[in-house]
Amino acid sequence: TGLEQRQRQKVSHMFARLQADLPAAVTRVEGNTETLVASRLLRAGDHFRVAQGDVIPVDAELLEGTARVEQAALTGESVPVHKSAGDSVSAGTRLLEGTLVLQANSAVHDSRLARIGDLIERAQSQQPFQSVNPALLSTTFVITVLVLAAITGALHWSSGGAVAFEHALAVLVVTCPCALALAAPLTLAATLGRGLEENVLIADPVRLMRLPHLANWLFDKTGTLTRGHFVVDEIERLSDTHTSAELLGIVAGLEQHARHPVAQTLRALAAPTDVDNVTLTREGVSGNASGHTWRISGRTEAESPCLQLHLSCDGEPVLRIALRDTPRDEAHAVLSALRQRGKHLFMSSGDQPG
């Protein structure tokens, strides 16, 4: 139908927006020569360079450099991931800090992001009406519909034969297989579109019709059960050598030019102090200020829902900051309702343990 077609076009446009950030050109590295080429020309084994703020165009392996990479578009995790030589990165992830030289693992059309596009196309090609239980169209269904129409007509007979006929006819129209054939694909196409708006890919929309019968439910954490935005849960000064204001200024200075969500929260704590030689490492970020070497490192702990950040001065811990991702208001009610129905609940998280 025209309505279904428009909904499918809307879904396709949403995925096109997901791909819009992919760079059209990339710097290919061949020995000592660097050439700007179209991203689509990259092949497995090619070396290329990515600068701060750029989106990585293909799945690749890091050859040189250390950086923080934002993977939220693929994993939903708002905490950037530290990457160094030998680590893998996926197309569609963004380099927040640093400059990298990478080796392509695939062409653009073979990347993980491209496979997501294939999943969407496959989901679009599903025929929802075929999944409707054939029993609905059996003799029992037809007889039941006719009986309901007759009962409806009888209940409205006192209002006149014409009124009774209209109500009986309404029952027949609503329960007609043609109505089911229209409603099922339109509803599932709209559901797929809304999922993409919320950064959720539904690979097989037909399976949504089986949700009431599922016993095990797996929820993503960041951005699904939580909001994906960090707030300060606790600040603890671990040394008397500096005031809290001085330490928070150093924290803000170290994260002054970072773009990830954690840095945005930390910069809001105080006016930044000038920090020199800011360097990214696998463990965090370090720099020099007031004659000292400062470092921020972080980890998650199984016994705590918070991200624990530690600021050290010349190797000695001086400040601890606990950040937490706040749960969605409706999360508790949804999980409680599922538990009451006897469902088994599980949670998936991309948090990186210390």
Side-chain angles (χ1 to χ4, degrees), residues 23-43:
V26 66
T27 302
R28 184 163 59 191
V29 180
E30 297 176 298
N32 295 325
T33 303
E34 297 189 358
T35 308
L36 190 66
V37 300
S39 298
R40 58 183 174 80
L41 297 180
L42 285 178
R43 295 293 181 264

Side-chain angles (χ1 to χ4, degrees), residues 183-342:
L186 194 58
T187 301
L188 294 184
T191 302
L192 177 61
R194 180 56 188 270
L196 285 177
E197 288 179 350
E198 300 294 335
N199 298 320
V200 175
L201 172 62
I202 303 173
D204 186 358
V206 173
R207 295 185 183 273
L208 292 175
M209 303 178 71
R210 305 175 189 172
L211 283 179
H213 309 293
L214 296 181
N216 300 315
W217 291 65
L218 177 65
F219 287 88
D220 175 55
K221 189 191 77 171
T222 305
T224 302
L225 297 179
T226 67
R227 298 183 181 277
H229 301 289
F230 288 93
V231 296
V232 177
D233 186 75
E234 183 182 6
I235 297 177
E236 179 184 7
R237 189 157 59 103
L238 306 177
S239 171
D240 295 330
T241 56
H242 299 83
T243 66
S244 295
E246 291 173 335
L247 297 176
L248 292 176
I250 294 294
V251 169
L254 287 169
E255 300 287 358
Q256 185 173 7
H257 301 293
R259 299 173 55 184
H260 55 83
V262 171
Q264 294 172 7
T265 301
L266 296 178
R267 285 199 300 270
L269 297 177
T273 298
D274 290 334
V275 179
D276 300 321
N277 302 321
V278 176
T279 305
L280 295 172
T281 67
R282 193 174 187 86
E283 293 75 25
V285 58
S286 63
N288 300 322
S290 304
H292 301 284
T293 298
W294 304 85
R295 181 188 301 275
I296 296 177
S297 58
R299 67 176 185 273
T300 56
E301 300 174 350
E303 64 274 11
S304 172
C306 296
L307 172 64
Q308 304 289 337
L309 300 177
H310 289 85
L311 174 67
S312 63
C313 177
D314 298 327
E316 295 295 325
V318 293
L319 186 72
R320 181 180 67 87
I321 303 175
L323 303 179
R324 60 182 173 85
D325 190 359
T326 55
R328 291 184 179 273
D329 296 336
E330 64 273 21
H332 178 73
V334 170
L335 297 180
S336 297
L338 289 173
R339 288 194 184 97
Q340 291 175 2
R341 288 170 171 78

Side-chain angles (χ1 to χ4, degrees), residues 37-79:
V37 300
S39 298
R40 58 183 174 80
L41 297 180
L42 285 178
R43 295 293 181 264
D46 286 353
H47 294 183
F48 62 98
R49 185 181 302 279
V50 176
Q52 178 172 317
D54 288 348
V55 174
I56 298 170
V58 297
D59 296 343
E61 178 182 328
L62 274 67
L63 299 178
E64 299 177 12
T66 300
R68 291 182 181 180
V69 176
E70 181 187 53
Q71 303 183 140
L74 294 179
T75 67
E77 291 298 327
S78 55
V79 179

